[in-house]
Amino acid sequence: MPEADIGFVPTMGYLHTGHLSLADRARAENKLTVVSLFVNPTQFGPKEDFTKYPRDEERDLALLERARVDLVFIPTAEDIYGSRKDQALVHLPGITEVLEGSIRPGHFDGVCTIVAKLFNLVRPRRAYFGQKDAQQLAVIKKMVRDLNFAVEIVPCPTIRDSDGLALSSRNVYLDATARTTALGISRGLFAAEKLWQAGVAASEALCGEVRSAMAQGNFSHIDYVEVVDGETFDRLPEAKPGAIIVVAAKVGTTRLIDNICLK
Ligand code: AMP
């Protein structure tokens, strides 16, 4: 059992208000708050943006000091993985193989492995994850259940800019035109949510609403727009309360994900 009442927020840094909302919640609910900053190499594919991922440790530390976080953990890749190539990897079947998992093979193995390691190093009582990365949240919940980690996973709502765009470290890549296109995602999700609230449950109709809002912009690629079960991430022909509409698309080379949970 953990010795102290630690609330933990794992991040890859380049912090924004979304990350800080997790830290605030952790501070409110625990004696000690720990935030980690670690751009985890094992969750990036060989052609992804690991080297180019935005980093600004000094700025992150200033933000975390202002947020009165007790401890910031900034390990190196060597600290976490050592130099051997034959390290253990945590693999969850099923949910890690669809959607984000099928487009980014191995991504969730990297996520599960780093989160498992960080849980063992930090030994938190509670860990805070954003609904923004809905599939990641569901994967971590399953890992904790399947492997009996003594950690409570606390889901936190997605924080958005005033125009609706979900905050993301990768938004820094977007220029004004790209940002206008990107806004089609949240606009589409909100429109689909309205449709659902008006009684439409057919996934085809809900996804069609998202796609038509996105069609007004200039996406270089739409990876998926789907209605899925919020726990298993199985595709649903009909939405139900707790279902999630998930979207992943590229604007230029910047890949964005977003979702909305149907109540
Ligand atoms: P990252 O640094 O992108 O790995 O994110 C670290 C944590 O912050 C994850 O649990 C994310 O889901 C969460 N997060 C990222 N963006 C947001 C957001 N806009 N609102 C709430 N949580 C977020």
Side-chain angles (χ1 to χ4, degrees):
M1 286 298 286
E3 303 82 29
D5 195 10
I6 294 176
F8 177 46
V9 182
T11 82
M12 297 205 298
Y14 210 73
L15 302 179
H16 51 64
T17 314
H19 296 115
L20 296 175
S21 72
L22 271 53
D24 284 347
R25 174 96 185 260
R27 232 176 66 79
E29 295 179 354
N30 301 276
K31 284 206 186 86
L32 274 177
T33 301
V34 178
V35 173
S36 63
L37 306 175
F38 181 61
V39 184
N40 175 37
T42 62
Q43 71 188 68
F44 288 80
K47 291 188 184 144
E48 293 181 0
D49 58 347
F50 172 67
T51 49
K52 169 171 153 265
Y53 193 83
R55 293 161 169 90
D56 191 340
E57 196 176 297
E58 220 170 290
R59 182 174 151 277
D60 287 348
L61 285 172
L63 288 170
L64 293 172
E65 192 168 9
R66 210 175 312 151
R68 291 193 283 152
V69 162
D70 299 291
L71 199 143
V72 185
F73 181 41
I74 315 181
T76 63
E78 171 81 20
D79 291 335
I80 295 291
Y81 293 112
S83 51
R84 292 178 58 150
K85 296 279 176 237
D86 59 348
Q87 293 256 336
L89 206 62
V90 180
H91 176 73
L92 267 60
I95 185 170
T96 64
E97 286 149 19
V98 298
L99 299 165
E100 282 305 280
S102 78
I103 287 158
R104 306 181 68 187
H107 168 67
F108 286 121
D109 292 354
V111 168
C112 288
T113 303
I114 186 61
V115 171
K117 281 173 164 275
L118 290 171
F119 282 177
N120 285 333
L121 291 164
V122 176
R123 306 240 246 145
R125 162 98 173 72
R126 300 184 188 86
Y128 297 78
F129 289 86
Q131 181 68 39
K132 156 76 168 52
D133 299 283
Q135 193 173 357
Q136 170 175 280
L137 173 61
V139 165
I140 297 299
K141 279 187 182 164
K142 180 168 165 35
M143 179 183 81
V144 163
R145 254 193 334 265
D146 287 3
L147 299 180
N148 309 93
F149 278 97
V151 184
E152 180 191 337
I153 302 302
V154 183
C156 300
T158 301
I159 305 296
R160 299 176 181 279
D161 261 332
S162 53
D163 57 9
L165 186 68
L167 295 184
S168 162
S169 304
R170 288 189 172 99
N171 291 352
V172 70
Y173 300 143
L174 303 172
D175 63 19
T177 321
R179 198 182 158 95
T180 306
T181 290
L183 282 172
I185 300 178
S186 50
R187 215 175 38 247
L189 287 171
F190 296 141
E193 185 186 34
K194 279 221 172 93
L195 212 57
W196 158 254
Q197 286 164 346
V200 176
S203 297
E204 211 177 303
L206 297 172
C207 295
E209 190 75 5
V210 178
R211 283 182 180 274
S212 75
M214 290 175 71
Q216 292 165 33
N218 193 16
F219 286 93
S220 43
H221 192 253
I222 297 179
D223 285 340
Y224 56 78
V225 178
E226 299 280 357
V227 179
V228 297
D229 180 283
E231 202 171 310
T232 62
F233 269 68
D234 291 338
R235 287 188 179 88
L236 297 173
E238 292 258 305
K240 58 182 184 186
I244 303 180
I245 310 178
V246 286
V247 179
K250 274 186 166 172
V251 189
T253 55
T254 304
R255 188 162 181 279
L256 300 171
I257 60 169
D258 198 354
N259 67 83
I260 205 149
C261 186
L262 303 175
K263 302 255 155 47

